[in-house]
Amino acid sequence: MPAYDPNNIFAKILRGEIPSIKVYEDSDTLVIMDIMPQADGHVLVLPRAPSRSLLDADPAIFKPLFETVQVIARAVQQAFGAEGVLVKQFNEEAAGQTVFHLHVHVVPRKAGEALRPHSGKMADMTLLARHAEMIKQALNSPQT
Ligand code: 5GP
């Protein structure tokens, strides 16, 4: 497996070197809007610790990472009135990974609604910012 590249896009976002639309952050994780969302409310949960994927990650990061995934999954479900939430994660190119800093996709789902393509079309940034605000509101007043 290749070494972790500290200049991947998400490492730069974590260091604040390139912009992102942030939804939530704590000492272990950062949550941002995916710029090519497969459904409205598609976010990415990034551990701050560097690893290419799940395969080379320190297992100590999984507890805080998936605690954030659960909090965010509930928030996107509430914010978008979703019936379910897709949580997915790719490891290496052959599995579909395109950015080589471990991340978990959290996508609100409604029955019968088709997913847009993975890494498809860039979203309107104003709309993404509005969706981020909806998720933040749900985080501030959880119903579960
Ligand atoms: P994966 O590595 O799991 O295949 O997917 C990477 C995800 O990151 C894709 O869903 C893609 O839309 C998203 N993405 C790629 N570049 C950027 C970026 O610069 N900013 C943000 N917020 N998302 C990105």
Side-chain angles (χ1 to χ4, degrees), residues 8-48:
N8 72 75
I9 297 167
F10 293 164
K12 288 182 179 175
I13 286 175
L14 283 161
R15 290 195 297 266
E17 293 168 8
I18 61 172
S20 64
I21 299 177
K22 291 182 189 175
V23 172
Y24 170 86
E25 61 185 316
D26 61 25
S27 57
D28 297 301
T29 58
L30 172 68
V31 182
I32 58 174
M33 299 307 294
D34 194 301
I35 51 167
M36 292 171 264
Q38 291 191 258
D40 289 354
H42 179 172
V43 300
L44 302 169
V45 182
L46 317 179
R48 292 189 187 277

PDB file of all heavy atoms in Angstrom, residues 8-48:
ATOM      1  N   ASN A   8      -2.837  15.392   0.394  1.00  0.00           N
ATOM      2  CA  ASN A   8      -4.137  15.061  -0.202  1.00  0.00           C
ATOM      3  C   ASN A   8      -5.146  16.157   0.161  1.00  0.00           C
ATOM      4  O   ASN A   8      -4.950  16.910   1.126  1.00  0.00           O
ATOM      5  CB  ASN A   8      -4.591  13.662   0.246  1.00  0.00           C
ATOM      6  CG  ASN A   8      -5.009  13.625   1.688  1.00  0.00           C
ATOM      7  OD1 ASN A   8      -6.084  14.094   2.050  1.00  0.00           O
ATOM      8  ND2 ASN A   8      -4.153  13.086   2.555  1.00  0.00           N
ATOM      9  N   ILE A   9      -6.244  16.220  -0.597  1.00  0.00           N
ATOM     10  CA  ILE A   9      -7.216  17.332  -0.432  1.00  0.00           C
ATOM     11  C   ILE A   9      -7.759  17.411   0.992  1.00  0.00           C
ATOM     12  O   ILE A   9      -7.890  18.508   1.551  1.00  0.00           O
ATOM     13  CB  ILE A   9      -8.404  17.140  -1.407  1.00  0.00           C
ATOM     14  CG1 ILE A   9      -7.954  17.187  -2.853  1.00  0.00           C
ATOM     15  CG2 ILE A   9      -9.461  18.222  -1.197  1.00  0.00           C
ATOM     16  CD1 ILE A   9      -9.025  16.686  -3.816  1.00  0.00           C
ATOM     17  N   PHE A  10      -8.070  16.277   1.593  1.00  0.00           N
ATOM     18  CA  PHE A  10      -8.690  16.340   2.921  1.00  0.00           C
ATOM     19  C   PHE A  10      -7.677  16.745   3.986  1.00  0.00           C
ATOM     20  O   PHE A  10      -8.042  17.436   4.952  1.00  0.00           O
ATOM     21  CB  PHE A  10      -9.374  15.012   3.269  1.00  0.00           C
ATOM     22  CG  PHE A  10     -10.574  14.707   2.401  1.00  0.00           C
ATOM     23  CD1 PHE A  10     -11.105  13.417   2.342  1.00  0.00           C
ATOM     24  CD2 PHE A  10     -11.185  15.688   1.640  1.00  0.00           C
ATOM     25  CE1 PHE A  10     -12.210  13.129   1.550  1.00  0.00           C
ATOM     26  CE2 PHE A  10     -12.289  15.412   0.835  1.00  0.00           C
ATOM     27  CZ  PHE A  10     -12.797  14.130   0.784  1.00  0.00           C
ATOM     28  N   ALA A  11      -6.405  16.366   3.806  1.00  0.00           N
ATOM     29  CA  ALA A  11      -5.372  16.831   4.742  1.00  0.00           C
ATOM     30  C   ALA A  11      -5.270  18.356   4.661  1.00  0.00           C
ATOM     31  O   ALA A  11      -5.157  19.046   5.683  1.00  0.00           O
ATOM     32  CB  ALA A  11      -4.032  16.182   4.415  1.00  0.00           C
ATOM     33  N   LYS A  12      -5.369  18.890   3.443  1.00  0.00           N
ATOM     34  CA  LYS A  12      -5.300  20.352   3.263  1.00  0.00           C
ATOM     35  C   LYS A  12      -6.521  21.025   3.888  1.00  0.00           C
ATOM     36  O   LYS A  12      -6.417  22.085   4.503  1.00  0.00           O
ATOM     37  CB  LYS A  12      -5.199  20.713   1.775  1.00  0.00           C
ATOM     38  CG  LYS A  12      -3.843  20.367   1.191  1.00  0.00           C
ATOM     39  CD  LYS A  12      -3.752  20.782  -0.269  1.00  0.00           C
ATOM     40  CE  LYS A  12      -2.377  20.433  -0.813  1.00  0.00           C
ATOM     41  NZ  LYS A  12      -2.254  20.703  -2.241  1.00  0.00           N
ATOM     42  N   ILE A  13      -7.688  20.396   3.742  1.00  0.00           N
ATOM     43  CA  ILE A  13      -8.909  20.938   4.363  1.00  0.00           C
ATOM     44  C   ILE A  13      -8.758  20.904   5.884  1.00  0.00           C
ATOM     45  O   ILE A  13      -9.063  21.877   6.577  1.00  0.00           O
ATOM     46  CB  ILE A  13     -10.147  20.146   3.883  1.00  0.00           C
ATOM     47  CG1 ILE A  13     -10.479  20.537   2.439  1.00  0.00           C
ATOM     48  CG2 ILE A  13     -11.349  20.375   4.814  1.00  0.00           C
ATOM     49  CD1 ILE A  13     -11.615  19.746   1.792  1.00  0.00           C
ATOM     50  N   LEU A  14      -8.248  19.798   6.419  1.00  0.00           N
ATOM     51  CA  LEU A  14      -8.074  19.675   7.876  1.00  0.00           C
ATOM     52  C   LEU A  14      -7.104  20.730   8.409  1.00  0.00           C
ATOM     53  O   LEU A  14      -7.281  21.244   9.517  1.00  0.00           O
ATOM     54  CB  LEU A  14      -7.571  18.264   8.238  1.00  0.00           C
ATOM     55  CG  LEU A  14      -8.641  17.170   8.211  1.00  0.00           C
ATOM     56  CD1 LEU A  14      -8.007  15.783   8.102  1.00  0.00           C
ATOM     57  CD2 LEU A  14      -9.542  17.246   9.452  1.00  0.00           C
ATOM     58  N   ARG A  15      -6.096  21.075   7.621  1.00  0.00           N
ATOM     59  CA  ARG A  15      -5.129  22.099   8.045  1.00  0.00           C
ATOM     60  C   ARG A  15      -5.635  23.514   7.743  1.00  0.00           C
ATOM     61  O   ARG A  15      -4.959  24.489   8.061  1.00  0.00           O
ATOM     62  CB  ARG A  15      -3.782  21.889   7.324  1.00  0.00           C
ATOM     63  CG  ARG A  15      -3.026  20.665   7.783  1.00  0.00           C
ATOM     64  CD  ARG A  15      -1.568  20.704   7.324  1.00  0.00           C
ATOM     65  NE  ARG A  15      -1.404  20.687   5.880  1.00  0.00           N
ATOM     66  CZ  ARG A  15      -1.216  19.591   5.139  1.00  0.00           C
ATOM     67  NH1 ARG A  15      -1.159  18.413   5.726  1.00  0.00           N
ATOM     68  NH2 ARG A  15      -1.080  19.664   3.830  1.00  0.00           N
ATOM     69  N   GLY A  16      -6.802  23.621   7.104  1.00  0.00           N
ATOM     70  CA  GLY A  16      -7.362  24.935   6.787  1.00  0.00           C
ATOM     71  C   GLY A  16      -6.682  25.602   5.596  1.00  0.00           C
ATOM     72  O   GLY A  16      -6.821  26.801   5.390  1.00  0.00           O
ATOM     73  N   GLU A  17      -5.982  24.821   4.782  1.00  0.00           N
ATOM     74  CA  GLU A  17      -5.260  25.396   3.636  1.00  0.00           C
ATOM     75  C   GLU A  17      -6.158  25.577   2.424  1.00  0.00           C
ATOM     76  O   GLU A  17      -5.871  26.402   1.555  1.00  0.00           O
ATOM     77  CB  GLU A  17      -4.063  24.514   3.254  1.00  0.00           C
ATOM     78  CG  GLU A  17      -2.986  24.503   4.320  1.00  0.00           C
ATOM     79  CD  GLU A  17      -1.923  23.426   4.108  1.00  0.00           C
ATOM     80  OE1 GLU A  17      -1.913  22.753   3.061  1.00  0.00           O
ATOM     81  OE2 GLU A  17      -1.117  23.250   5.037  1.00  0.00           O
ATOM     82  N   ILE A  18      -7.235  24.778   2.346  1.00  0.00           N
ATOM     83  CA  ILE A  18      -8.232  25.010   1.304  1.00  0.00           C
ATOM     84  C   ILE A  18      -9.610  25.000   1.953  1.00  0.00           C
ATOM     85  O   ILE A  18      -9.807  24.365   2.997  1.00  0.00           O
ATOM     86  CB  ILE A  18      -8.137  24.009   0.112  1.00  0.00           C
ATOM     87  CG1 ILE A  18      -8.347  22.579   0.558  1.00  0.00           C
ATOM     88  CG2 ILE A  18      -6.835  24.142  -0.632  1.00  0.00           C
ATOM     89  CD1 ILE A  18      -8.443  21.626  -0.629  1.00  0.00           C
ATOM     90  N   PRO A  19     -10.558  25.745   1.373  1.00  0.00           N
ATOM     91  CA  PRO A  19     -11.852  25.921   2.031  1.00  0.00           C
ATOM     92  C   PRO A  19     -12.737  24.674   1.965  1.00  0.00           C
ATOM     93  O   PRO A  19     -12.562  23.806   1.105  1.00  0.00           O
ATOM     94  CB  PRO A  19     -12.500  27.077   1.253  1.00  0.00           C
ATOM     95  CG  PRO A  19     -11.798  27.133  -0.054  1.00  0.00           C
ATOM     96  CD  PRO A  19     -10.448  26.505   0.111  1.00  0.00           C
ATOM     97  N   SER A  20     -13.673  24.624   2.911  1.00  0.00           N
ATOM     98  CA  SER A  20     -14.694  23.567   2.899  1.00  0.00           C
ATOM     99  C   SER A  20     -15.908  24.138   3.612  1.00  0.00           C
ATOM    100  O   SER A  20     -15.798  25.134   4.332  1.00  0.00           O
ATOM    101  CB  SER A  20     -14.203  22.314   3.626  1.00  0.00           C
ATOM    102  OG  SER A  20     -13.980  22.612   4.994  1.00  0.00           O
ATOM    103  N   ILE A  21     -17.047  23.500   3.399  1.00  0.00           N
ATOM    104  CA  ILE A  21     -18.260  23.912   4.127  1.00  0.00           C
ATOM    105  C   ILE A  21     -18.389  22.974   5.310  1.00  0.00           C
ATOM    106  O   ILE A  21     -18.707  21.794   5.155  1.00  0.00           O
ATOM    107  CB  ILE A  21     -19.486  23.893   3.207  1.00  0.00           C
ATOM    108  CG1 ILE A  21     -19.256  24.875   2.061  1.00  0.00           C
ATOM    109  CG2 ILE A  21     -20.749  24.244   3.995  1.00  0.00           C
ATOM    110  CD1 ILE A  21     -20.361  24.920   1.030  1.00  0.00           C
ATOM    111  N   LYS A  22     -18.097  23.523   6.502  1.00  0.00           N
ATOM    112  CA  LYS A  22     -18.044  22.700   7.710  1.00  0.00           C
ATOM    113  C   LYS A  22     -19.418  22.566   8.348  1.00  0.00           C
ATOM    114  O   LYS A  22     -20.207  23.510   8.352  1.00  0.00           O
ATOM    115  CB  LYS A  22     -17.094  23.327   8.730  1.00  0.00           C
ATOM    116  CG  LYS A  22     -15.659  23.272   8.302  1.00  0.00           C
ATOM    117  CD  LYS A  22     -14.758  23.872   9.365  1.00  0.00           C
ATOM    118  CE  LYS A  22     -13.343  24.002   8.806  1.00  0.00           C
ATOM    119  NZ  LYS A  22     -12.420  24.672   9.717  1.00  0.00           N
ATOM    120  N   VAL A  23     -19.642  21.386   8.906  1.00  0.00           N
ATOM    121  CA  VAL A  23     -20.917  21.097   9.564  1.00  0.00           C
ATOM    122  C   VAL A  23     -20.701  20.929  11.064  1.00  0.00           C
ATOM    123  O   VAL A  23     -21.522  21.349  11.884  1.00  0.00           O
ATOM    124  CB  VAL A  23     -21.518  19.802   8.967  1.00  0.00           C
ATOM    125  CG1 VAL A  23     -22.730  19.353   9.734  1.00  0.00           C
ATOM    126  CG2 VAL A  23     -21.857  20.006   7.495  1.00  0.00           C
ATOM    127  N   TYR A  24     -19.585  20.304  11.419  1.00  0.00           N
ATOM    128  CA  TYR A  24     -19.330  19.948  12.827  1.00  0.00           C
ATOM    129  C   TYR A  24     -17.840  19.681  12.971  1.00  0.00           C
ATOM    130  O   TYR A  24     -17.202  19.195  12.029  1.00  0.00           O
ATOM    131  CB  TYR A  24     -20.121  18.677  13.173  1.00  0.00           C
ATOM    132  CG  TYR A  24     -19.776  18.062  14.506  1.00  0.00           C
ATOM    133  CD1 TYR A  24     -20.386  18.494  15.682  1.00  0.00           C
ATOM    134  CD2 TYR A  24     -18.820  17.035  14.590  1.00  0.00           C
ATOM    135  CE1 TYR A  24     -20.056  17.932  16.910  1.00  0.00           C
ATOM    136  CE2 TYR A  24     -18.498  16.468  15.815  1.00  0.00           C
ATOM    137  CZ  TYR A  24     -19.111  16.922  16.966  1.00  0.00           C
ATOM    138  OH  TYR A  24     -18.778  16.361  18.172  1.00  0.00           O
ATOM    139  N   GLU A  25     -17.294  19.976  14.145  1.00  0.00           N
ATOM    140  CA  GLU A  25     -15.924  19.537  14.421  1.00  0.00           C
ATOM    141  C   GLU A  25     -15.711  19.328  15.900  1.00  0.00           C
ATOM    142  O   GLU A  25     -16.369  19.969  16.729  1.00  0.00           O
ATOM    143  CB  GLU A  25     -14.881  20.502  13.844  1.00  0.00           C
ATOM    144  CG  GLU A  25     -14.879  21.898  14.344  1.00  0.00           C
ATOM    145  CD  GLU A  25     -13.856  22.733  13.561  1.00  0.00           C
ATOM    146  OE1 GLU A  25     -12.729  22.261  13.321  1.00  0.00           O
ATOM    147  OE2 GLU A  25     -14.203  23.864  13.189  1.00  0.00           O
ATOM    148  N   ASP A  26     -14.834  18.419  16.221  1.00  0.00           N
ATOM    149  CA  ASP A  26     -14.374  18.232  17.598  1.00  0.00           C
ATOM    150  C   ASP A  26     -12.894  17.882  17.547  1.00  0.00           C
ATOM    151  O   ASP A  26     -12.266  17.996  16.485  1.00  0.00           O
ATOM    152  CB  ASP A  26     -15.242  17.187  18.340  1.00  0.00           C
ATOM    153  CG  ASP A  26     -15.198  15.813  17.710  1.00  0.00           C
ATOM    154  OD1 ASP A  26     -14.205  15.489  17.023  1.00  0.00           O
ATOM    155  OD2 ASP A  26     -16.163  15.051  17.895  1.00  0.00           O
ATOM    156  N   SER A  27     -12.329  17.462  18.673  1.00  0.00           N
ATOM    157  CA  SER A  27     -10.872  17.276  18.708  1.00  0.00           C
ATOM    158  C   SER A  27     -10.415  16.100  17.832  1.00  0.00           C
ATOM    159  O   SER A  27      -9.250  16.041  17.441  1.00  0.00           O
ATOM    160  CB  SER A  27     -10.403  17.087  20.146  1.00  0.00           C
ATOM    161  OG  SER A  27     -11.089  15.999  20.721  1.00  0.00           O
ATOM    162  N   ASP A  28     -11.300  15.167  17.513  1.00  0.00           N
ATOM    163  CA  ASP A  28     -10.918  13.982  16.732  1.00  0.00           C
ATOM    164  C   ASP A  28     -11.423  13.981  15.303  1.00  0.00           C
ATOM    165  O   ASP A  28     -10.886  13.246  14.465  1.00  0.00           O
ATOM    166  CB  ASP A  28     -11.459  12.710  17.409  1.00  0.00           C
ATOM    167  CG  ASP A  28     -10.855  12.513  18.783  1.00  0.00           C
ATOM    168  OD1 ASP A  28      -9.621  12.410  18.854  1.00  0.00           O
ATOM    169  OD2 ASP A  28     -11.610  12.492  19.772  1.00  0.00           O
ATOM    170  N   THR A  29     -12.474  14.734  15.018  1.00  0.00           N
ATOM    171  CA  THR A  29     -13.141  14.621  13.706  1.00  0.00           C
ATOM    172  C   THR A  29     -13.555  15.993  13.142  1.00  0.00           C
ATOM    173  O   THR A  29     -13.748  16.954  13.898  1.00  0.00           O
ATOM    174  CB  THR A  29     -14.423  13.750  13.806  1.00  0.00           C
ATOM    175  OG1 THR A  29     -15.310  14.328  14.763  1.00  0.00           O
ATOM    176  CG2 THR A  29     -14.106  12.318  14.204  1.00  0.00           C
ATOM    177  N   LEU A  30     -13.701  16.016  11.810  1.00  0.00           N
ATOM    178  CA  LEU A  30     -14.252  17.187  11.108  1.00  0.00           C
ATOM    179  C   LEU A  30     -15.303  16.660  10.142  1.00  0.00           C
ATOM    180  O   LEU A  30     -15.064  15.647   9.463  1.00  0.00           O
ATOM    181  CB  LEU A  30     -13.143  17.912  10.328  1.00  0.00           C
ATOM    182  CG  LEU A  30     -13.601  19.036   9.393  1.00  0.00           C
ATOM    183  CD1 LEU A  30     -14.148  20.223  10.194  1.00  0.00           C
ATOM    184  CD2 LEU A  30     -12.428  19.515   8.514  1.00  0.00           C
ATOM    185  N   VAL A  31     -16.441  17.335  10.079  1.00  0.00           N
ATOM    186  CA  VAL A  31     -17.512  16.932   9.159  1.00  0.00           C
ATOM    187  C   VAL A  31     -17.741  18.069   8.164  1.00  0.00           C
ATOM    188  O   VAL A  31     -17.946  19.221   8.563  1.00  0.00           O
ATOM    189  CB  VAL A  31     -18.812  16.610   9.921  1.00  0.00           C
ATOM    190  CG1 VAL A  31     -19.892  16.137   8.952  1.00  0.00           C
ATOM    191  CG2 VAL A  31     -18.558  15.563  11.004  1.00  0.00           C
ATOM    192  N   ILE A  32     -17.682  17.724   6.860  1.00  0.00           N
ATOM    193  CA  ILE A  32     -17.837  18.728   5.796  1.00  0.00           C
ATOM    194  C   ILE A  32     -18.885  18.250   4.789  1.00  0.00           C
ATOM    195  O   ILE A  32     -19.148  17.055   4.663  1.00  0.00           O
ATOM    196  CB  ILE A  32     -16.498  18.991   5.058  1.00  0.00           C
ATOM    197  CG1 ILE A  32     -15.939  17.693   4.435  1.00  0.00           C
ATOM    198  CG2 ILE A  32     -15.475  19.615   6.007  1.00  0.00           C
ATOM    199  CD1 ILE A  32     -14.696  17.899   3.569  1.00  0.00           C
ATOM    200  N   MET A  33     -19.442  19.221   4.060  1.00  0.00           N
ATOM    201  CA  MET A  33     -20.345  18.862   2.963  1.00  0.00           C
ATOM    202  C   MET A  33     -19.517  18.273   1.822  1.00  0.00           C
ATOM    203  O   MET A  33     -18.448  18.806   1.479  1.00  0.00           O
ATOM    204  CB  MET A  33     -21.086  20.111   2.435  1.00  0.00           C
ATOM    205  CG  MET A  33     -21.961  20.836   3.429  1.00  0.00           C
ATOM    206  SD  MET A  33     -23.166  19.793   4.278  1.00  0.00           S
ATOM    207  CE  MET A  33     -24.236  19.308   2.926  1.00  0.00           C
ATOM    208  N   ASP A  34     -19.986  17.178   1.225  1.00  0.00           N
ATOM    209  CA  ASP A  34     -19.353  16.634   0.008  1.00  0.00           C
ATOM    210  C   ASP A  34     -19.674  17.589  -1.152  1.00  0.00           C
ATOM    211  O   ASP A  34     -20.842  17.949  -1.348  1.00  0.00           O
ATOM    212  CB  ASP A  34     -19.896  15.226  -0.283  1.00  0.00           C
ATOM    213  CG  ASP A  34     -19.061  14.484  -1.315  1.00  0.00           C
ATOM    214  OD1 ASP A  34     -18.928  15.001  -2.444  1.00  0.00           O
ATOM    215  OD2 ASP A  34     -18.565  13.399  -0.992  1.00  0.00           O
ATOM    216  N   ILE A  35     -18.641  18.009  -1.906  1.00  0.00           N
ATOM    217  CA  ILE A  35     -18.908  19.001  -2.975  1.00  0.00           C
ATOM    218  C   ILE A  35     -19.594  18.390  -4.196  1.00  0.00           C
ATOM    219  O   ILE A  35     -20.071  19.120  -5.050  1.00  0.00           O
ATOM    220  CB  ILE A  35     -17.643  19.778  -3.449  1.00  0.00           C
ATOM    221  CG1 ILE A  35     -16.500  18.848  -3.799  1.00  0.00           C
ATOM    222  CG2 ILE A  35     -17.239  20.848  -2.475  1.00  0.00           C
ATOM    223  CD1 ILE A  35     -15.385  19.561  -4.556  1.00  0.00           C
ATOM    224  N   MET A  36     -19.627  17.049  -4.277  1.00  0.00           N
ATOM    225  CA  MET A  36     -20.361  16.392  -5.374  1.00  0.00           C
ATOM    226  C   MET A  36     -21.359  15.426  -4.744  1.00  0.00           C
ATOM    227  O   MET A  36     -21.197  14.194  -4.824  1.00  0.00           O
ATOM    228  CB  MET A  36     -19.388  15.673  -6.314  1.00  0.00           C
ATOM    229  CG  MET A  36     -18.516  16.645  -7.098  1.00  0.00           C
ATOM    230  SD  MET A  36     -17.193  15.844  -8.022  1.00  0.00           S
ATOM    231  CE  MET A  36     -15.819  16.013  -6.901  1.00  0.00           C
ATOM    232  N   PRO A  37     -22.380  15.972  -4.076  1.00  0.00           N
ATOM    233  CA  PRO A  37     -23.256  15.129  -3.260  1.00  0.00           C
ATOM    234  C   PRO A  37     -24.068  14.137  -4.082  1.00  0.00           C
ATOM    235  O   PRO A  37     -24.582  14.478  -5.137  1.00  0.00           O
ATOM    236  CB  PRO A  37     -24.171  16.139  -2.557  1.00  0.00           C
ATOM    237  CG  PRO A  37     -24.126  17.357  -3.414  1.00  0.00           C
ATOM    238  CD  PRO A  37     -22.772  17.382  -4.065  1.00  0.00           C
ATOM    239  N   GLN A  38     -24.199  12.931  -3.550  1.00  0.00           N
ATOM    240  CA  GLN A  38     -25.011  11.906  -4.213  1.00  0.00           C
ATOM    241  C   GLN A  38     -26.482  12.057  -3.849  1.00  0.00           C
ATOM    242  O   GLN A  38     -27.349  11.449  -4.484  1.00  0.00           O
ATOM    243  CB  GLN A  38     -24.489  10.520  -3.859  1.00  0.00           C
ATOM    244  CG  GLN A  38     -23.123  10.265  -4.488  1.00  0.00           C
ATOM    245  CD  GLN A  38     -22.727   8.808  -4.373  1.00  0.00           C
ATOM    246  OE1 GLN A  38     -21.926   8.456  -3.524  1.00  0.00           O
ATOM    247  NE2 GLN A  38     -23.300   7.966  -5.198  1.00  0.00           N
ATOM    248  N   ALA A  39     -26.748  12.820  -2.791  1.00  0.00           N
ATOM    249  CA  ALA A  39     -28.111  13.210  -2.413  1.00  0.00           C
ATOM    250  C   ALA A  39     -27.954  14.476  -1.582  1.00  0.00           C
ATOM    251  O   ALA A  39     -26.871  14.730  -1.033  1.00  0.00           O
ATOM    252  CB  ALA A  39     -28.784  12.114  -1.585  1.00  0.00           C
ATOM    253  N   ASP A  40     -29.014  15.276  -1.474  1.00  0.00           N
ATOM    254  CA  ASP A  40     -28.943  16.472  -0.635  1.00  0.00           C
ATOM    255  C   ASP A  40     -28.631  16.038   0.795  1.00  0.00           C
ATOM    256  O   ASP A  40     -29.241  15.099   1.318  1.00  0.00           O
ATOM    257  CB  ASP A  40     -30.280  17.218  -0.673  1.00  0.00           C
ATOM    258  CG  ASP A  40     -30.509  17.878  -2.039  1.00  0.00           C
ATOM    259  OD1 ASP A  40     -29.590  17.851  -2.888  1.00  0.00           O
ATOM    260  OD2 ASP A  40     -31.614  18.416  -2.241  1.00  0.00           O
ATOM    261  N   GLY A  41     -27.655  16.713   1.414  1.00  0.00           N
ATOM    262  CA  GLY A  41     -27.293  16.392   2.794  1.00  0.00           C
ATOM    263  C   GLY A  41     -26.137  15.412   2.905  1.00  0.00           C
ATOM    264  O   GLY A  41     -25.791  14.995   4.011  1.00  0.00           O
ATOM    265  N   HIS A  42     -25.503  15.063   1.781  1.00  0.00           N
ATOM    266  CA  HIS A  42     -24.365  14.129   1.768  1.00  0.00           C
ATOM    267  C   HIS A  42     -23.168  14.812   2.433  1.00  0.00           C
ATOM    268  O   HIS A  42     -22.686  15.830   1.959  1.00  0.00           O
ATOM    269  CB  HIS A  42     -24.062  13.778   0.313  1.00  0.00           C
ATOM    270  CG  HIS A  42     -22.908  12.841   0.105  1.00  0.00           C
ATOM    271  ND1 HIS A  42     -22.619  12.312  -1.132  1.00  0.00           N
ATOM    272  CD2 HIS A  42     -21.968  12.328   0.937  1.00  0.00           C
ATOM    273  CE1 HIS A  42     -21.565  11.515  -1.062  1.00  0.00           C
ATOM    274  NE2 HIS A  42     -21.134  11.526   0.200  1.00  0.00           N
ATOM    275  N   VAL A  43     -22.700  14.234   3.529  1.00  0.00           N
ATOM    276  CA  VAL A  43     -21.541  14.796   4.235  1.00  0.00           C
ATOM    277  C   VAL A  43     -20.440  13.752   4.346  1.00  0.00           C
ATOM    278  O   VAL A  43     -20.665  12.551   4.147  1.00  0.00           O
ATOM    279  CB  VAL A  43     -21.912  15.320   5.647  1.00  0.00           C
ATOM    280  CG1 VAL A  43     -22.954  16.421   5.585  1.00  0.00           C
ATOM    281  CG2 VAL A  43     -22.359  14.182   6.554  1.00  0.00           C
ATOM    282  N   LEU A  44     -19.242  14.241   4.668  1.00  0.00           N
ATOM    283  CA  LEU A  44     -18.076  13.383   4.869  1.00  0.00           C
ATOM    284  C   LEU A  44     -17.564  13.588   6.283  1.00  0.00           C
ATOM    285  O   LEU A  44     -17.391  14.737   6.726  1.00  0.00           O
ATOM    286  CB  LEU A  44     -16.977  13.761   3.872  1.00  0.00           C
ATOM    287  CG  LEU A  44     -17.355  13.672   2.399  1.00  0.00           C
ATOM    288  CD1 LEU A  44     -16.271  14.322   1.530  1.00  0.00           C
ATOM    289  CD2 LEU A  44     -17.568  12.213   1.981  1.00  0.00           C
ATOM    290  N   VAL A  45     -17.332  12.491   6.982  1.00  0.00           N
ATOM    291  CA  VAL A  45     -16.764  12.553   8.333  1.00  0.00           C
ATOM    292  C   VAL A  45     -15.289  12.175   8.219  1.00  0.00           C
ATOM    293  O   VAL A  45     -14.957  11.065   7.779  1.00  0.00           O
ATOM    294  CB  VAL A  45     -17.498  11.599   9.297  1.00  0.00           C
ATOM    295  CG1 VAL A  45     -16.907  11.721  10.698  1.00  0.00           C
ATOM    296  CG2 VAL A  45     -19.000  11.886   9.319  1.00  0.00           C
ATOM    297  N   LEU A  46     -14.422  13.105   8.599  1.00  0.00           N
ATOM    298  CA  LEU A  46     -12.974  12.890   8.488  1.00  0.00           C
ATOM    299  C   LEU A  46     -12.363  12.771   9.878  1.00  0.00           C
ATOM    300  O   LEU A  46     -12.569  13.660  10.707  1.00  0.00           O
ATOM    301  CB  LEU A  46     -12.289  14.089   7.812  1.00  0.00           C
ATOM    302  CG  LEU A  46     -12.923  14.751   6.593  1.00  0.00           C
ATOM    303  CD1 LEU A  46     -12.055  15.919   6.128  1.00  0.00           C
ATOM    304  CD2 LEU A  46     -13.088  13.768   5.474  1.00  0.00           C
ATOM    305  N   PRO A  47     -11.599  11.712  10.145  1.00  0.00           N
ATOM    306  CA  PRO A  47     -10.807  11.722  11.367  1.00  0.00           C
ATOM    307  C   PRO A  47      -9.650  12.701  11.171  1.00  0.00           C
ATOM    308  O   PRO A  47      -9.153  12.842  10.045  1.00  0.00           O
ATOM    309  CB  PRO A  47     -10.296  10.275  11.467  1.00  0.00           C
ATOM    310  CG  PRO A  47     -10.284   9.771  10.073  1.00  0.00           C
ATOM    311  CD  PRO A  47     -11.359  10.507   9.319  1.00  0.00           C
ATOM    312  N   ARG A  48      -9.249  13.381  12.219  1.00  0.00           N
ATOM    313  CA  ARG A  48      -8.099  14.291  12.071  1.00  0.00           C
ATOM    314  C   ARG A  48      -6.803  13.510  11.905  1.00  0.00           C
ATOM    315  O   ARG A  48      -5.873  13.966  11.240  1.00  0.00           O
ATOM    316  CB  ARG A  48      -7.995  15.212  13.299  1.00  0.00           C
ATOM    317  CG  ARG A  48      -9.143  16.189  13.385  1.00  0.00           C
ATOM    318  CD  ARG A  48      -8.910  17.232  14.460  1.00  0.00           C
ATOM    319  NE  ARG A  48     -10.097  18.044  14.637  1.00  0.00           N
ATOM    320  CZ  ARG A  48     -10.408  19.089  13.870  1.00  0.00           C
ATOM    321  NH1 ARG A  48      -9.606  19.450  12.887  1.00  0.00           N
ATOM    322  NH2 ARG A  48     -11.517  19.769  14.098  1.00  0.00           N
TER     323      ARG A  48
END
